[in-house]
Amino acid sequence: MDLLDTLLYTLARIGLMIMLILLGAFTGEILFPGIATFLPSSMVEFKNFITDDTVQSVIAMIIVIIFFLWVFYDDGKRHSAYENWNVVNILIVLILMLMIYFVPAIFRESFHSEGKAEVFFLIWYYPCSWLSGKQSLGYMTGVLLTELIMIASAFAAYLSAYKIYVKKHPILLIPKDERHIVDSDGEVDDVSQEVDEE
């Protein structure tokens, strides 16, 4: 990808992260409690389970992870097919996503002492509250660990897509100027096979 494509891709993935955080918070804080109100009294244990704050936060995190796995796996596959795959670029994108998500947590106390921006922090870090709410870890540690889990899942999906695609198309491991070496059946010759085995 060129510079403009990389910039647009980065902005798109940051926007995706923001939307998924909002979706996770909506699902955990509004949708599941709403569903619980329609459950019969005989399912009181299940109702209490899905309305538990920790469970709702975990559900929000799982929603983010599921979409990350889906989107970044597709990204890895498409980038491999068009030979735009670049581990440095994707790491930069993911690190920027991590920073944008984590940095507000650093300034939380300055707002918390004055009672400001509580709604923002409640929504923004809703997928992290299952860990950030633990006294033994601390707020920022919980936020960082949760975000690392989500970012790591995205990177794993992207890398897996590349590995799977290259395994099916080993010619991609050969420099472009050497790809004319094929046999009469259109199959990659022994050079590509050696590269694949390595």
Side-chain angles (χ1 to χ4, degrees), residues 21-38 50-53 56-57 59-60 63 119 122-123 126:
I21 291 168
L22 295 176
L23 176 62
F26 171 80
T27 302
E29 191 68 20
I30 299 176
L31 184 60
F32 270 57
I35 294 174
T37 60
F38 294 99
I50 65 173
T51 55
D52 180 77
D53 291 339
Q56 291 173 348
S57 176
I59 290 171
I63 289 174
V119 174
L122 174 65
I123 296 174
Y126 190 82

Side-chain angles (χ1 to χ4, degrees), residues 77-90:
K77 186 176 180 180
R78 285 189 298 103
H79 291 174
S80 300
Y82 291 101
E83 299 187 60
N84 287 327
W85 192 87
N86 189 310
V87 68
V88 175
N89 284 350
I90 194 63

Side-chain angles (χ1 to χ4, degrees), residues 34-187:
I35 294 174
T37 60
F38 294 99
L39 296 177
S41 56
S42 59
M43 301 180 66
V44 63
E45 292 185 3
F46 180 70
K47 180 178 179 179
N48 292 336
F49 174 77
I50 65 173
T51 55
D52 180 77
D53 291 339
T54 300
V55 173
Q56 291 173 348
S57 176
V58 171
I59 290 171
M61 182 192 69
I62 291 174
I63 289 174
V64 175
I65 289 175
I66 289 173
F67 277 95
F68 271 6
L69 290 173
W70 175 35
V71 172
F72 281 93
Y73 183 87
D74 184 65
D75 287 347
K77 186 176 180 180
R78 285 189 298 103
H79 291 174
S80 300
Y82 291 101
E83 299 187 60
N84 287 327
W85 192 87
N86 189 310
V87 68
V88 175
N89 284 350
I90 194 63
L91 283 174
I92 291 173
V93 171
L94 293 175
I95 290 171
L96 284 174
M97 291 171 63
L98 176 65
M99 291 175 59
I100 288 173
Y101 190 71
F102 178 72
V103 166
I106 300 174
F107 304 99
R108 176 178 176 267
E109 289 302 319
S110 61
F111 290 102
H112 184 70
S113 60
E114 301 176 11
K116 297 179 179 178
E118 279 301 305
V119 174
F120 168 77
F121 287 105
L122 174 65
I123 296 174
W124 187 244
Y125 294 116
Y126 190 82
C128 307
S129 60
W130 67 284
L131 271 183
S132 62
K134 295 183 180 297
Q135 296 294 332
S136 57
L137 284 177
Y139 188 82
M140 286 197 295
T141 303
V143 168
L144 182 59
L145 288 175
T146 306
E147 180 64 5
L148 284 174
I149 293 172
M150 295 190 290
I151 293 297
S153 67
F155 182 70
Y158 191 88
L159 188 62
S160 298
Y162 170 75
K163 293 291 186 181
I164 293 172
Y165 194 87
V166 166
K167 187 175 182 179
K168 294 180 179 178
H169 305 85
I171 194 173
L172 293 175
L173 296 173
I174 305 174
K176 289 183 178 181
D177 56 353
E178 299 178 15
R179 292 183 190 174
H180 63 282
I181 309 176
V182 295
D183 61 22
S184 58
D185 296 326
E187 297 292 335

